[in-house]
Every structure is written in structure tokens, then in C-alpha cells.
Amino acid sequence: MSSHEKGNQHMAHKYETVAAGIRATIAESMAPHDALPSERELMAIYGVSRMTVRQAIAKLSEEGRVYNVHGSGTYVGSTDLFSKSPKLTSFTEDMMSRGYSASSRVLAVSRVEADDVVARALELVAGSECTHIRRLRLADGNPMAIEDVYLPTTILDIEQFNLGDSLYEQLRTSGHEVYRAEQEIQAITLNEERSRLLEVEPGSAALCVSRVSSSRRGQLIEYARTIYRADRYTFQLAVTRENDR
Amino acid sequence: MSSHEKGNQHMAHKYETVAAGIRATIAESMAPHDALPSERELMAIYGVSRMTVRQAIAKLSEEGRVYNVHGSGTYVGSTDLFSKSPKLTSFTEDMMSRGYSASSRVLAVSRVEADDVVARALELVAGSECTHIRRLRLADGNPMAIEDVYLPTTILDIEQFNLGDSLYEQLRTSGHEVYRAEQEIQAITLNEERSRLLEVEPGSAALCVSRVSSSRRGQLIEYARTIYRADRYTFQLAVTRENDR
DNA sequence: AAGTGGTCTAGACCACCGC
DNA sequence: CGGTGGTCTAGACCACTTC
């Protein structure tokens, strides 16, 4: 990298610089379970205080790149494993990370009254107006999933929606950035209509992911239900012990 | 609470005391989106330094109980939502949190040679010896899931296994505490044998969760495959945007 | 006993929000 | 502009691992 590698936006903080340096060191010259320099040594190496070193290590630890052993040291995490920590991604991002090119075919855009499921999920009074978008999602041109998204018209009305652009991007620019989502994953049996869209036999199993997305402040933004072909899609996530009460 | 409320083990750290205090305050007298006292005020209230306050707030934020807005304040999170963050749980814990009583019927315990799937998952050479445990998992006495667990005999050999006790507990006491797991969730169609065990129609959809568990240091401990009745079980998790590279 | 990470203090300045 | 959270410093002591 040249000398101006931090051209990303607001100028990097020190702990990000330290984390990036450690990341690079690991990638270039360290193996799993090798010990990192001690926090005191890292202070000297990067010319920062201990708290800044610890903040950098905390970040790397969240990423699964290192792990701490109290009283012993900080070590490089096992390879292969890791980096699959549950992350909120768009369909496009998800497919890209799996090595597919994503595309989609809009099947319907309409203004509807919220049914029981949608109303309960978005905490609306029954019958509230919602924008409904149904899309067939394709990976490398092949049917992968059917996605139904419901948004309160107060968040995004039908005229505002631009079919070409990313929905998440449109929400972000209109001040409704999705920050958090609760997801429920279940196995279902495909009915005739859905199996035809996904080009599989009726009665096949499929993975159904229901999602309620909210902003950083907790405002409910969308309810989405995505039905994936079971033979082409699996849901992966990493979990750790902890997360008290 | 009386004056000795911290009888749990090693004596609570200050930030845990502060976090507990804030948690109690929220539960007793605050509503979602109410502003917490500022960090400077909390310093005075609890008689600690700012960093300790921030550590407490960071913990509450992870738990989803509060959220920060830079330049504005720290606020109580939306209720209902939250607390479903992905956590590593045993079947028993999982069922308890859903309000069921868990039990199980051991179907088989044997020493087997690792097949391709197990060997690859646990990074063993093909044909290595493993302990295999198959159990039917019940919730309130009704079939809920079929669980197959494979452990290298070097981790747990068949004679050491005690059918009565929790497997995770036995692993913990023998120095192989499970800390992290990678899971893959897919939808499958039940074959005849599995549908009989789960007491559903052959050909029904089911949720299959495959898990590779490892210790804090990255040692691979177990490969487990659990097949849940789709009509009784859904997998829930919360995710947030973030988690860079 | 020496070295490590874990907690904690008492300051400081910066970036951002709302008035 | 004042108040808020975000970053950072230069120390200190504690708990744990290792020898």
C-alpha cells in the first residue's frame, strides 16, 4: 500500500490503525495459535496507550481473528473457521459472498392492507397500509428464493420505490437505515405456486427465513419473508458461549 | 435485595455492579427510548470512573437493553424485541427457554470410524475412531429432534461417557469446554426411519442443524447433527449490521 | 517470581447533536 | 454554544498462567 492508504471517509482512528497493522502481520507471517506480542509490547510498537491496544485487540477478537487467554497471552485464531459470524446482509451481498452473481425479477409491487402476520410483526393496527414487494431472487441466473417484503407506507410508499436500486440503499438515504433484525428460520413444504416459481417439485422442502428489521433506535422498518430452495441454500452462522442474561 | 446480593462466585467487578444497577433502574422505572443519565452523571451516581461506566453501558448495549446516539445520549432499547441474540445453548437450555421440559432417549452409543462428513468437519484423517451418540430429544415428552453427536475418542471415549449426565457438562469437567460453534441450517425431507422416530409422515420437511464445536483455543470437539420437527421447532436469531471485514 | 491479560482511575481532547 | 458520547493517555493494582 502507498502512504495514503486511509482515504476512507473520516480518517481512521488510532485503534483501527493498530488493528489493521495486527491483521496484516497475522496474514503475512503468523499461524493459528501463535502468540501475538504482549499488549505492553504492542504499545511500544505502535506508539499508543494500552487502552488503544486493547480496543484494537477487542475488535480483532470480535472478528474471530485472535483469542485471549488470561494470564498467558493473545493468540491467532484457528483458520478455516471464523468470519461467518451472523451479520446483517442483503441478498446481493449474501450471494456475492457465496460466489454467485445476484439478480432479481420483480413479481409484484402493490399497496396492501397488513394481514395479521405483518401487522403483528410490525406492530401496526390490523388493516394498516403497507407497500408489498415480491421478487424472485436469482443466483447466476437460476431461481434461488422468493422474497416478500412489507413496509409501512409511512416508511416507503409505492410511488417512491425505484425498482432498479437496492431497497436497503433507498431506505438508508431516506433516513431509515436498517441496523438490526430478528430472524426466524423454519423448514416448510412448498406449495404448487412457490414450487413453480423456484422450478422444483411441489412438496419439496424449503428454508423459510422471516425477518423483522429495525433502525438503530428501534423503529420497525420492514417485515420480510424469504423462501429459499433447500437444495441450493443453507444458512450458516457462528455462535459463542457467553451473552449473559 | 439484601446487602449481600453478590454471592455469585468470584465477587463482582465494579462495571458489573454498575450494569446491574442500570438494568434494575430500567426495569423498575424506565420506558423504551427514555434517556439514561449521561455518562458523567452515572460516574457520580455510582462513584466510578468514566471508563467503568462505559464498560457497563457497552455490556448493556450488547444485551440490546440500551443504544447510544453519538452527541445525544444513551437510551433504553425497544422492549419485546431483543435478547434473542445468537447464543450457544444445549438442547436442554434451549427447550427450557421455550417453556418446555427437556428429556431424551439414548438410541445408540458406539465407537465408529469417522465417515467423510465427520472426518472433514473435525479435521481428522478418514477412518479415525469416534464416539457416536444418537439420542431422541423430547420436549414435554414429545419427540422434537434426532441428534447425532460425534466426538474424537481422544476427546471422549465410549467408556467415559455417562448416559445420565449432560454431555456438555462432562466435556467441561474433562477440560474440553465448548466455547464456539459454527452451525449450518438447512431444510431436508425426512426419510422413512427418521419420520418414524419423530412420529410424522414420511416426506415431511424438517430443519437440520449441523454444528462443529470448538474450545476457546480452537480445538475441534464435536460434530453434531440435529434434525428437528419442522412443525414444532423454529430457529431464531438476532443480527446487527456491522462486523467489518 | 515474572509476565500476561483484566479492571480501574483521573484526567484530556474530539466529533456530533440540539438549541 | 453547551452537553453528549467516542477516542486516547499514562499511569495503577489485581487475577491468572507459567516457570
Side-chain angles (χ1 to χ4, degrees):
Chain A
M1 311 187 187
S2 62
S3 59
H4 61 294
E5 75 276 87
K6 46 194 72 156
N8 0 325
Q9 304 184 72
H10 313 81
M11 172 62 192
H13 292 123
K14 283 193 180 182
Y15 77 90
E16 289 170 344
T17 309
V18 174
I22 297 174
R23 246 185 241 117
T25 306
I26 291 173
E28 287 164 16
S29 61
M30 298 189 74
H33 306 297
D34 283 0
L36 262 64
S38 74
E39 297 181 353
R40 273 93 174 169
E41 287 170 336
L42 289 168
M43 287 171 65
I45 293 172
Y46 290 97
V48 298
S49 74
R50 179 133 176 251
M51 202 200 128
T52 305
V53 168
R54 285 182 61 76
Q55 204 171 346
I57 289 177
K59 189 161 199 226
L60 297 173
S61 181
E62 273 177 38
E63 295 170 11
R65 293 186 144 81
V66 303
Y67 61 90
N68 300 325
V69 180
H70 188 175
S72 172
T74 303
Y75 302 88
V76 177
S78 298
T79 35
D80 311 354
L81 247 39
F82 300 106
S83 85
K84 246 179 265 167
S85 46
K87 194 175 103 177
L88 189 50
T89 55
S90 69
F91 178 82
T92 304
E93 290 167 344
D94 191 12
M95 288 304 111
M96 272 172 42
S97 71
R98 292 163 192 256
Y100 297 119
S101 72
S103 57
S104 66
R105 208 168 75 218
V106 177
L107 301 176
V109 180
S110 60
R111 190 181 294 150
V112 301
E113 290 189 356
D115 63 22
D116 279 357
V117 173
V118 173
R120 193 174 311 110
L122 295 178
E123 295 177 10
L124 301 169
V125 296
S128 298
E129 291 213 318
C130 286
T131 302
H132 171 214
I133 303 166
R134 165 171 285 197
R135 290 182 285 192
L136 182 66
R137 297 295 209 163
L138 311 167
D140 287 349
N142 299 312
M144 175 64 98
I146 304 167
E147 181 191 75
D148 285 287
V149 181
Y150 297 86
L151 308 109
T153 50
T154 50
I155 300 282
L156 183 79
D157 208 345
I158 188 167
E159 300 94 7
Q160 305 167 259
F161 179 59
N162 182 338
L163 270 68
D165 295 354
S166 153
L167 174 59
Y168 274 32
E169 186 58 29
Q170 289 181 55
L171 289 170
R172 200 182 60 74
T173 55
S174 66
H176 296 107
E177 183 171 21
V178 169
Y179 172 74
R180 194 174 191 287
E182 301 254 341
Q183 298 187 129
E184 181 172 24
I185 304 170
Q186 51 191 324
I188 62 169
T189 301
L190 287 176
N191 62 21
E192 213 279 320
E193 179 200 8
R194 288 168 173 167
S195 61
R196 194 173 58 246
L197 285 168
L198 291 175
E199 299 177 9
V200 296
E201 292 297 310
S204 301
L207 207 58
C208 176
V209 180
S210 308
R211 182 177 69 223
V212 179
S213 306
S214 53
S215 71
R216 189 165 173 76
R217 288 167 169 71
Q219 184 181 19
L220 299 174
I221 297 176
E222 63 152 9
Y223 172 74
R225 187 178 52 240
T226 311
I227 295 171
Y228 295 90
R229 276 181 64 149
D231 57 341
R232 291 196 178 151
Y233 190 86
T234 66
F235 194 98
Q236 297 167 336
L237 76 153
V239 292
T240 55
R241 198 85 184 171
E242 287 181 5
N243 289 26
D244 319 355
R245 44 202 71 218
Chain B
M1 312 188 185
S2 62
S3 61
H4 61 294
E5 75 274 272
K6 47 195 71 158
N8 1 324
Q9 306 185 73
H10 312 82
M11 172 62 192
H13 292 122
K14 283 194 180 181
Y15 77 89
E16 288 170 344
T17 309
V18 174
I22 297 175
R23 245 186 242 116
T25 305
I26 291 173
E28 286 163 18
S29 60
M30 298 188 74
H33 307 296
D34 283 0
L36 262 64
S38 75
E39 296 182 353
R40 272 90 172 171
E41 287 171 337
L42 289 167
M43 288 171 64
I45 293 171
Y46 290 97
V48 298
S49 74
R50 178 135 176 248
M51 201 200 128
T52 304
V53 168
R54 284 182 61 75
Q55 204 172 346
I57 290 177
K59 190 163 198 220
L60 297 173
S61 181
E62 273 177 38
E63 294 171 11
R65 293 186 144 79
V66 304
Y67 61 89
N68 300 326
V69 180
H70 188 174
S72 172
T74 303
Y75 302 89
V76 177
S78 299
T79 36
D80 309 354
L81 246 38
F82 301 106
S83 84
K84 246 179 267 168
S85 47
K87 195 175 104 177
L88 189 50
T89 55
S90 68
F91 179 82
T92 304
E93 290 167 343
D94 191 13
M95 288 305 111
M96 271 172 43
S97 72
R98 292 163 192 258
Y100 297 119
S101 72
S103 58
S104 67
R105 209 168 74 216
V106 177
L107 300 177
V109 181
S110 60
R111 191 181 293 151
V112 301
E113 292 189 354
D115 62 23
D116 280 356
V117 173
V118 173
R120 192 173 312 111
L122 296 178
E123 294 177 10
L124 301 170
V125 297
S128 299
E129 292 213 317
C130 288
T131 302
H132 171 213
I133 303 164
R134 165 170 287 196
R135 290 182 283 192
L136 183 66
R137 297 294 210 162
L138 311 167
D140 287 349
N142 299 313
M144 175 65 98
I146 305 166
E147 181 190 75
D148 285 287
V149 181
Y150 297 86
L151 308 108
T153 50
T154 50
I155 300 283
L156 183 79
D157 209 346
I158 187 166
E159 300 94 8
Q160 305 166 258
F161 179 61
N162 181 338
L163 271 67
D165 294 354
S166 154
L167 175 58
Y168 275 31
E169 186 58 29
Q170 290 181 54
L171 289 170
R172 200 181 61 74
T173 56
S174 67
H176 295 108
E177 182 171 23
V178 169
Y179 172 74
R180 194 173 191 287
E182 301 254 340
Q183 299 187 126
E184 181 172 25
I185 304 169
Q186 51 192 325
I188 62 169
T189 301
L190 287 177
N191 63 21
E192 213 280 317
E193 179 200 6
R194 288 168 173 166
S195 61
R196 194 174 57 247
L197 285 167
L198 290 175
E199 299 177 9
V200 296
E201 292 296 310
S204 301
L207 208 58
C208 176
V209 180
S210 308
R211 182 177 67 222
V212 178
S213 306
S214 52
S215 71
R216 188 166 173 76
R217 288 167 169 70
Q219 184 181 19
L220 299 174
I221 296 176
E222 63 151 9
Y223 172 74
R225 187 179 51 239
T226 310
I227 296 170
Y228 295 90
R229 277 181 64 150
D231 57 341
R232 290 195 179 152
Y233 189 87
T234 65
F235 194 97
Q236 297 169 335
L237 76 153
V239 292
T240 56
R241 198 84 185 172
E242 285 180 8
N243 289 24
D244 319 356
R245 46 202 71 219

